[in-house]
Amino acid sequence: MEVEGMRRSETVISFGPEDLKGVNLPHNDALFIQVRVANDDILRVFIDSDSSVNVISKDAFVQMNLQGYHLEAVETAFFGFVGHVVYPEGKIVLPLTLGSQDLKKTVMTSFTVVDSPSSYNIIIGRPAMNELRAVTFTHHQKIKFSVGARVGEVRGDQPSSRKCYVEAVRADQSKTRREKKKSKVEEGEWRIVDKGEVHFIAEGEQEMIEVGPGQQIRVARDLSTSTRVSLINCLKANIHVFAWSQQELTGISPLISELQLNILPGSHPVKQKKRHFGPEKDKVINEQVKELLKAGYIREIQFATWLSNVVLVSKSTGK
C-alpha cells in the first residue's frame, strides 16, 4: 500500500516445521489460547476468524470485576451464536494483550457481552485479529503477530480445545434429549428430572423381580405398592428394550461413541509375543473370547500387524 508516496513496511509472518514442536498430531482441534484482558489472564479464549464481533461471556465479565468500565447499550441481536438468537448485554472497550515479556502487543478492543451458555470465556473475532495484525494456523496450533520488526507468537492449548469440544457436544446432546422427551405414556408425559431428585440404591436395598422367562431386574425394596405394580407393568410392557445377552447388542452407532487412535506417522507396528497366563486364567480368556466372537464384536485374522496380549484385572469379588 502506498499513501502519499510513502510505502508501509510489513513484517513477514511464516509457519514452518519448527512450529509443530509440541503439537499432538494428527488433530482437528480448534485454536484456544490464553490472553490478557484489562488486568486479568483469561483462559479458554477461542480464535474464530468467522466471527464478525469479539464476544465475552457474561460469567467471565462478572468474574473480572472491572472497575471504571461501563457497558454501552447494543440493540442489534446476534443470530447463530450457540444456535439461536441472542440479545447482547452491552458493549465495552477493553485492552487486549497477546504474548509475553518483550514480545507482546496490546490494542484497545471492543467486546460484546453475551449472557448465553458457552464452554469458552471469550471469542476473538476478525475485528481484534485485524487490529493485532495477527495470523493463525490451526494445524500448527499457533497465532503470530507483528511486534515492530519482530514477530510474537502464542501457542494454542489443545487440552482446553478438546475439553471445550466435549462440553459443547454434551450440551447439544442434552438439548436433543430434552426435545425428544415429549413422547407420552399411559399415565401422562415424561418430565425432566432435576439432578437433586436422583439417588442411588445400595445393592442390599434391592430385590430381584422377574419380568420374563429367565429375565430378572433389580428394583428398590422400599417402593410403595402402587409404584411397585406400575413399575413392574411398565418393565414387562417394554421388555423388548433390554438386552439380556451380548448377542442382542448388535452394535453402537458411531454418533454415540467412536474411538480413534492418534498414532504418530512413521511409528512401527508393535507385535507382542503370546503369553500364557496359566490354566485358570486361560479358561477365563477363552470363555470371554468365545462370547465376543459369538456376539460379532471381534473376528479372527491370520496375520496381525498389531498384536497386544490380553490384560486381566481382578474384581473386588475375587473373580
Side-chain angles (χ1 to χ4, degrees), residues 67-287:
Q67 301 292 337
Y69 294 93
H70 302 283
L71 285 175
E72 298 179 12
V74 177
E75 298 181 357
T76 305
F78 290 168
F79 179 78
F81 189 72
V82 298
H84 56 273
V85 177
V86 176
Y87 292 92
E89 299 289 310
K91 184 171 63 175
I92 189 171
V93 177
L94 298 170
L96 169 66
T97 302
L98 277 186
S100 59
Q101 299 177 357
D102 58 334
L103 281 178
K104 63 182 180 181
K105 191 171 187 178
T106 302
V107 295
M108 297 302 294
T109 305
S110 176
F111 289 94
T112 302
V113 181
V114 173
D115 185 11
S116 181
S118 174
S119 57
Y120 31 77
N121 296 316
I122 288 178
I123 298 176
I124 299 296
R126 292 194 301 273
M129 296 291 293
N130 291 334
E131 291 170 0
L132 290 162
R133 305 186 70 79
V135 181
T136 64
F137 204 153
T138 56
H139 177 67
H140 289 72
Q141 283 290 293
K142 267 189 180 179
I143 178 172
K144 293 187 177 184
F145 50 93
S146 60
V147 183
R150 296 188 295 172
V151 176
E153 63 180 38
V154 176
R155 166 73 72 188
D157 186 353
Q158 282 186 283
S160 291
S161 175
R162 295 175 182 182
K163 188 173 182 179
C164 289
Y165 175 75
V166 170
E167 291 177 0
V169 170
R170 286 176 178 172
D172 183 65
Q173 290 175 344
S174 297
K175 180 182 177 181
T176 302
R177 284 195 294 268
R178 287 195 297 269
E179 292 174 350
K180 288 184 178 180
K181 282 190 177 180
K182 295 180 180 179
S183 58
K184 295 182 178 180
V185 293
E186 293 180 358
E187 297 181 4
E189 295 185 354
W190 292 102
R191 66 186 180 90
I192 304 299
V193 179
D194 292 334
K195 188 175 181 180
E197 298 181 51
V198 180
H199 64 283
F200 296 93
I201 307 298
E203 188 172 344
E205 300 174 2
Q206 302 172 12
E207 62 175 327
M208 299 297 295
I209 299 296
E210 187 168 330
V211 293
Q215 300 169 332
Q216 295 182 326
I217 293 179
R218 295 179 183 270
V219 300
R221 293 180 182 273
D222 59 352
L223 295 176
S224 65
T225 303
S226 59
T227 302
R228 188 175 185 276
V229 172
S230 298
L231 175 60
I232 294 175
N233 290 336
C234 178
L235 292 173
K236 289 183 177 180
N238 297 279
I239 195 67
H240 62 281
V241 305
F242 296 94
W244 302 97
S245 66
Q246 292 180 336
Q247 288 75 20
E248 295 182 43
L249 294 173
T250 56
I252 299 176
S253 170
L255 297 176
I256 299 175
S257 177
E258 188 175 34
L259 174 65
Q260 179 180 358
L261 298 178
N262 291 328
I263 300 172
L264 291 174
S267 297
H268 296 288
V270 176
K271 294 177 67 175
Q272 296 182 350
K273 293 183 179 180
K274 182 180 177 182
R275 292 179 54 194
H276 293 282
F277 299 87
E280 183 179 356
K281 293 183 178 179
D282 282 341
K283 181 181 178 181
V284 174
I285 293 173
N286 289 331
E287 291 175 353

